[in-house]
Amino acid sequence: MKEKQKLDWRNTYTPTDAPQVRGNCDHALNREETLSVHGLKTPSNNPDVDIQSGMAGQDLRVPVINMRDEPLMPTTPEKARKLLKEKKAKVAFSNPFTIQLLYATGETKQPVTLGIDAGYKHIGFSALTEKRELISGEAVIRTDIPKLNEEKAMYRRKKRNKLWYRKPRFMNRGNNKEGWFAPSIEHKLETHIRLIEKLKRILPVSNTVIEVASFDTQKMKNPEISGIEYQQGELQGYEIREYLLEKFHHICVYCGKTGVPLEIEHLTPRSRGGPDTVNNLAISCHECNQKKNNLTAEEFGYPEVRKRALITMRDAAFMNTVRWKLTQLAGAGYTFGYITKKNRISLGLDKSHANDAFVIAGGTNQARTSPFTITQRRRNNRSIQTNRKGFRPSIRRKRYAFQPGDIVVYDHERFSVVGMHNYGKSIVIKGGGKKMDINTKKVKLVKYGKGLQFAPQFLPTLSDGVSLGGVR
């Protein structure tokens, strides 16, 4: 028994010269640089804060704006919780989650560089300071605009054909104006600008750099290339080689081999007057290149390779069309993708749009953050829909109050709207493994689900007592 008592006894004496450990309730809360409190683990009654914290497996920062709607340096989720709990801040945006201070504070800001990896289908973005990355992610752009425009034109054409007495109106489309873009291209351009403006609204961005194209195709139209120049210099020939590798999908155009060293090959040999333009270049393995020798692609038995070489890459064509307009509207500098790839490989980063944007912004050894995934939804679904018998168009006279993708609160939990029926009186919601069909009077709108949506957006539960502010 005495032995057991000796084992249970603990020495609680603390030496006077022991180092003092700071607690959670220190004055670090008032620091203007990061507005952070170390070690604070108080759970929030707002799930948007929790999902951007280390408790949810994320390493994110919460954007902060002041009382005049101007962006400040972002803070940690712990600090954001404390400010919301003490009523010193309110939720300004939930997409992405942003707080607004309700008291005057210092406005010390660090230089923030925003890198944009522009593209036809995806947009990568990364904002960083000298020490860390503040936000990053990838946006998926809508690609259904041409199909929807064709469908709209079909219905309009059918309607006009019924009105035989109307004069033709096919000469007043206005597509000959200077600076005019096709509707699908205009939409993609506006999406880039909208994303940049949204990031600048929540972060104090001081400089913006945009990757305007994967390759400088204007420079490649008539390049001055000699045999030795393929090996000389850091970027000599690197741009054209990467362009051809991407265009032909890293596959030999003759035998179809992949995973082997590939060489730049002239479809019409230079010894027979073949030019050095990209339309006369392809990628082949060493064996096929030697076997082809002094023959043209047609003589070698591959006439289809010539047709493939004449096809312009869609992504490169899109960026060549809008790149200068994009940099002008955004007031940004520009770079090219082959330079980004070289720098990314030197840093040992995997290929992703977020990593490319990190390199574009000048990233080197900054602490990284977990990337967002942004999806784009239509802001207003047209009234044309499939009727109950499966025929189109069925005209919906009234626009419903809720649309698919909207976020609502029901019984203190957040759900995503799946659809509406019963002439807008019933709503189908989904979230947290549940799917329910309830009356619209029992739900409350939290956020519209249109435009650019940052994910993750919400957790399944939401406690009471949280002011969400306006729906933005």
Side-chain angles (χ1 to χ4, degrees):
M1 188 67 180
K2 290 182 179 180
E3 264 186 357
K4 188 174 186 305
Q5 287 178 350
K6 287 182 180 180
L7 291 174
D8 291 341
W9 178 81
R10 292 183 304 163
N11 183 7
T12 58
Y13 172 72
T14 303
T16 56
D17 59 345
Q20 300 299 313
V21 181
R22 295 170 65 180
N24 294 335
C25 302
D26 59 0
H27 295 288
L29 180 64
N30 297 320
R31 289 186 298 178
E32 296 174 355
E33 182 179 0
T34 60
L35 293 174
S36 62
V37 180
H38 298 286
L40 183 62
K41 296 297 182 182
T42 306
S44 172
N45 58 357
N46 192 310
D48 289 311
V49 187
D50 291 334
I51 203 159
Q52 294 191 209
S53 68
M55 297 171 64
Q58 304 279 341
D59 182 21
L60 302 176
R61 287 293 184 269
V62 178
V64 180
I65 59 177
N66 62 15
M67 300 175 65
R68 300 187 302 276
D69 290 335
E70 296 174 350
L72 302 175
M73 296 303 295
T75 184
T76 61
E78 293 86 352
K79 172 61 178 177
R81 286 195 203 96
K82 190 169 183 64
L83 291 173
L84 291 171
K85 184 177 180 180
E86 295 178 353
K87 306 298 182 182
K88 293 183 179 179
K90 67 177 182 178
V91 179
F93 307 104
S94 58
N95 184 40
F97 182 75
T98 306
I99 64 172
Q100 182 175 17
L101 300 180
L102 300 179
Y103 64 96
T105 182
E107 298 184 3
T108 303
K109 302 177 184 178
Q110 304 172 22
V112 177
T113 302
L114 174 63
I116 299 293
D117 178 22
Y120 185 78
K121 296 180 180 179
H122 302 86
I123 307 175
F125 61 93
S126 175
L128 49 89
T129 62
E130 185 179 353
K131 295 183 179 180
R132 68 172 300 109
E133 188 178 44
L134 304 179
I135 191 173
S136 69
E138 173 185 339
V140 182
I141 310 177
R142 288 179 55 195
T143 58
D144 59 344
I145 303 297
K147 181 180 178 181
L148 294 175
N149 286 339
E150 291 177 3
E151 186 179 0
K152 180 179 69 174
M154 179 188 66
Y155 288 126
R156 293 188 62 179
R157 191 179 301 111
K158 182 177 180 181
K159 184 177 181 180
R160 287 184 180 279
N161 289 337
K162 294 179 180 179
L163 304 176
W164 57 271
Y165 52 86
R166 296 189 64 172
K167 295 181 179 180
R169 300 181 60 186
F170 54 85
M171 297 297 292
N172 61 347
R173 298 303 182 195
N175 55 2
N176 293 324
K177 296 180 180 178
E178 184 178 354
W180 179 88
F181 294 119
S184 59
I185 301 299
E186 182 74 23
H187 178 269
K188 293 180 184 298
L189 175 62
E190 291 178 354
T191 301
H192 283 77
I193 299 299
R194 194 177 301 120
L195 177 60
I196 295 173
E197 290 178 348
K198 187 172 187 65
L199 293 174
K200 286 185 176 181
R201 189 174 183 182
I202 61 176
L203 293 174
V205 176
S206 56
N207 183 35
T208 305
V209 182
I210 303 175
E211 182 186 294
V212 293
S214 298
F215 316 96
D216 191 355
T217 53
Q218 299 295 329
K219 194 194 310 182
M220 290 191 294
K221 283 185 177 179
N222 188 22
E224 296 293 336
I225 301 177
S226 61
I228 194 172
E229 283 180 322
Y230 280 116
Q231 288 79 30
Q232 289 183 346
E234 272 193 327
L235 296 175
Q236 196 66 259
Y238 187 88
E239 178 181 12
I240 293 180
R241 177 177 174 81
E242 293 305 317
Y243 176 85
L244 295 173
L245 286 172
E246 185 169 336
K247 184 173 185 178
F248 295 103
H249 310 292
H250 294 74
I251 299 174
C252 175
V253 295
Y254 299 120
C255 66
K257 286 183 181 178
T258 182
V260 297
L262 299 175
E263 303 173 351
I264 298 178
E265 198 275 324
H266 289 73
L267 301 181
T268 300
R270 297 182 64 188
S271 60
R272 298 175 60 176
D276 290 325
T277 58
V278 292
N279 293 338
N280 190 49
L281 298 177
I283 290 291
S284 70
C285 64
H286 180 73
E287 294 180 1
C288 291
N289 198 0
Q290 293 296 317
K291 187 176 180 180
K292 179 174 175 289
N293 197 8
N294 201 35
L295 302 175
T296 64
E298 291 79 7
E299 294 171 350
F300 193 48
Y302 295 89
E304 69 279 0
V305 176
R306 179 81 64 178
K307 297 179 181 179
R308 292 177 59 190
L310 295 175
I311 299 176
T312 305
M313 292 175 59
R314 178 177 293 183
D315 293 13
F318 161 71
M319 290 311 305
N320 282 332
T321 303
V322 304
R323 59 180 178 177
W324 304 129
K325 187 71 172 180
L326 176 60
T327 54
Q328 178 184 358
L329 294 176
Y334 64 90
T335 184
F336 292 99
Y338 67 98
I339 301 176
T340 302
K341 180 177 180 178
K342 180 180 181 300
N343 295 334
R344 174 173 51 79
I345 293 175
S346 65
L347 292 175
L349 299 176
D350 296 332
K351 168 61 180 175
S352 72
H353 296 284
N355 285 343
D356 284 348
F358 175 76
V359 175
I360 293 169
T364 52
N365 57 354
Q366 287 91 338
R368 301 298 302 275
T369 183
S370 301
F372 281 97
T373 299
I374 300 180
T375 56
Q376 189 177 25
R377 299 182 65 94
R378 300 175 65 180
R379 289 189 175 275
N380 186 19
N381 187 16
R382 293 188 299 137
S383 296
I384 298 178
Q385 62 183 12
T386 304
N387 59 21
R388 295 181 179 180
K389 295 184 179 180
F391 295 100
R392 301 187 72 176
S394 173
I395 305 300
R396 187 173 64 221
R397 301 295 182 183
K398 180 180 178 182
R399 185 184 185 279
Y400 298 150
F402 298 97
Q403 295 289 322
D406 292 350
I407 307 302
V408 298
V409 173
Y410 170 70
D411 195 20
H412 310 300
E413 295 185 22
R414 287 192 182 187
F415 295 89
S416 176
V417 177
V418 177
M420 300 282 297
H421 65 99
N422 195 17
Y423 298 101
K425 298 178 182 179
S426 299
I427 183 174
V428 180
I429 58 178
K430 185 178 181 181
K434 306 177 185 177
K435 188 174 182 180
M436 297 177 289
D437 186 352
I438 58 176
N439 193 288
T440 55
K441 296 181 180 179
K442 299 180 179 180
V443 300
K444 181 180 180 182
L445 179 65
V446 175
K447 179 172 65 66
Y448 292 118
K450 306 304 178 184
L452 298 172
Q453 299 297 312
F454 288 71
Q457 300 174 11
F458 61 92
L459 288 178
T461 59
L462 175 69
S463 301
D464 293 328
V466 179
S467 174
L468 295 176
V471 178
R472 300 198 228 180

